[in-house]
């Protein structure tokens, strides 16, 4: 059993990359890359001015009275902004990454 794993996804203008990293050891568990199709549009995430994963966890945990176990930082087409998607207890909490405002809470 590996324990916690970081799943990192990124892209360039031509390729999408996926890497799984053992959170304890930093060892790469798996990696892959795929060429982007011409119709794939990706939104780059600016990492300046966003709240930390820890702060996103505190916001989600306070709202759900749960414990965070999964985090995704992504661009949301629905909200047209970068969001933290946090699994807290049995809920999924979407949080605006620049302000910490809760956008939605749903059952997972």
């Amino acid at each position: 059993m590996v324990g916690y794993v970081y799943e990192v996804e990124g892209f360039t203008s031509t390729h999408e990359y996926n890497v799984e990293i053992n959170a304890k050891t930093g060892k790469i568990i798996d990696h892959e890359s795929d060429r982007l199709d011409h119709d794939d549009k990706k939104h780059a995430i600016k990492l300046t001015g966003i709240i930390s994963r820890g702060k996103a966890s505190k916001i989600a945990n306070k709202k759900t009275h749960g414990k965070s176990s999964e985090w995704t930082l992504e661009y949301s087409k629905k909200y047209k902004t970068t969001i933290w998607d946090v699994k807290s207890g049995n809920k999924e909490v979407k949080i605006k990454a620049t302000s910490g405002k809760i956008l939605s809470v749903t059952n997972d």
Side-chain angles (χ1 to χ4, degrees), residues 6-9 17-21 28-32:
Y6 293 115
E7 294 178 8
V8 181
E9 297 178 1
Y17 301 92
N18 299 297
V19 180
E20 291 183 4
I21 303 168
I28 294 176
I29 300 167
D30 191 23
H31 64 88
E32 63 182 51

Side-chain angles (χ1 to χ4, degrees), residues 41-80:
K41 291 198 175 191
K42 302 288 183 179
H43 293 273
I45 296 174
K46 294 179 183 174
L47 298 177
T48 56
I50 63 168
I51 63 172
S52 68
R53 180 187 61 88
K55 184 164 183 170
S57 287
K58 287 180 185 177
I59 292 167
N61 294 346
K62 184 175 180 181
K63 181 70 175 177
T64 65
H65 304 289
K67 183 177 179 185
S68 298
S69 60
E70 292 181 25
W71 307 264
T72 303
L73 181 64
E74 62 190 358
Y75 180 82
S76 168
K77 290 179 183 177
K78 177 179 179 179
Y79 297 109
K80 295 182 172 80

